[in-house]
Amino acid sequence: MHDVQHVEQHFRAPEFVRDVVIGMSDGLTVPFALAAGLTGAIHQNSLIVLAGLAEIAAGSIAMGLGGYLAARGDAEHYASEKLREEREVIERTRDEEEEIYEIFDHYGVTREETEPVLAALKRNHPAWVDFMMRFELGLEAPDPGRAVRSASTIAASYIVGGLIPLAPYMVAGTAPDALRGSVAITLVALLIFGGLKGRATGTGILRSALQTMCIGGLAAAAAFGLAHLLSRHTLS
């Protein structure tokens, strides 16, 4: 009898998916709200498209920069905490040993059973520091290229998402027709995007699709109402 090889099927790209979700969801809702809000006040599709493209350019830069700064902040926080932990394992060794016992006690491991592990960690200070960073502070070592990838992923996702609700304004004859097309294509895009996200994360395709469409639709409707109100007030 041949043993069946066990293959781990865990999701390994949560940060990438998070960046795509952030960029795509905002890209689908904000440009849609702007274009839809201007539809009642501007009847030239070309002007609406121009305003939408300008918003996509500005929004993608702002979102990408926000993602870059957030990732850089995480890396700097990790570095500062690691320096502190490196000092503590030397200057406050007894306290750090007790923290090791407490960590293992949380998993039902006795002090006697923990002692060999503690002895091994004390012989390897870098491993001890890494262990404390992960299990005491809950921090993982950041990827050095994370900030740039996060910025580019969020910005690109925002651009892709933003072009979807603008597409009907590029091909439709009238602004009202374009608005109806934009509503339909945005809802479909949210449905498909949610399904893909659910498949990637393993949370369920149908559930994620409906949840994303409902939440994104409500966000877009709220943003549309505000943009429509402001555009009518400003351009009237």
Side-chain angles (χ1 to χ4, degrees), residues 27-134:
L28 282 169
T29 55
V30 178
F32 164 78
L34 175 64
L38 292 174
T39 299
I42 299 176
H43 301 290
Q44 290 181 285
N45 283 356
S46 59
L47 293 179
I48 297 175
V49 170
L50 183 61
L53 292 176
E55 195 288 324
I56 290 174
S60 62
I61 294 173
M63 294 288 292
L65 180 60
Y68 177 84
L69 293 176
R72 287 289 299 172
D74 290 342
E76 291 170 359
H77 174 64
Y78 183 89
S80 66
E81 290 295 325
K82 187 174 183 179
L83 285 174
R84 183 181 63 82
E85 201 65 45
E86 288 172 346
R87 290 195 302 268
E88 289 184 349
V89 297
I90 297 174
E91 300 171 0
R92 301 176 56 185
T93 304
R94 294 297 301 173
D95 292 337
E96 294 298 298
E97 290 176 356
E98 286 301 318
E99 289 175 355
I100 290 285
Y101 287 125
E102 290 174 3
I103 290 171
F104 278 99
D105 181 67
H106 179 73
Y107 294 97
V109 182
T110 65
R111 293 177 72 91
E112 291 76 15
E113 293 169 332
T114 303
E115 286 175 358
V117 179
L118 176 58
L121 289 175
K122 290 176 67 176
R123 292 193 299 267
N124 187 346
H125 273 202
W128 190 358
V129 172
D130 289 342
F131 182 90
M132 299 304 289
M133 292 294 292
R134 176 175 297 183

Side-chain angles (χ1 to χ4, degrees), residues 160-219:
V160 172
L163 289 175
I164 292 174
L166 278 185
Y169 288 90
M170 299 177 183
V171 298
T174 64
D177 290 339
L179 175 59
R180 286 189 287 270
S182 183
V183 170
I185 197 173
T186 299
L187 290 176
V188 171
L190 286 168
L191 189 68
I192 295 174
F193 171 60
L196 293 175
K197 181 184 69 172
R199 180 178 181 182
T201 59
T203 57
I205 296 176
L206 181 60
R207 175 186 176 184
S208 180
L210 294 175
Q211 185 181 60
T212 301
M213 185 183 70
C214 292
I215 295 175
L218 288 174

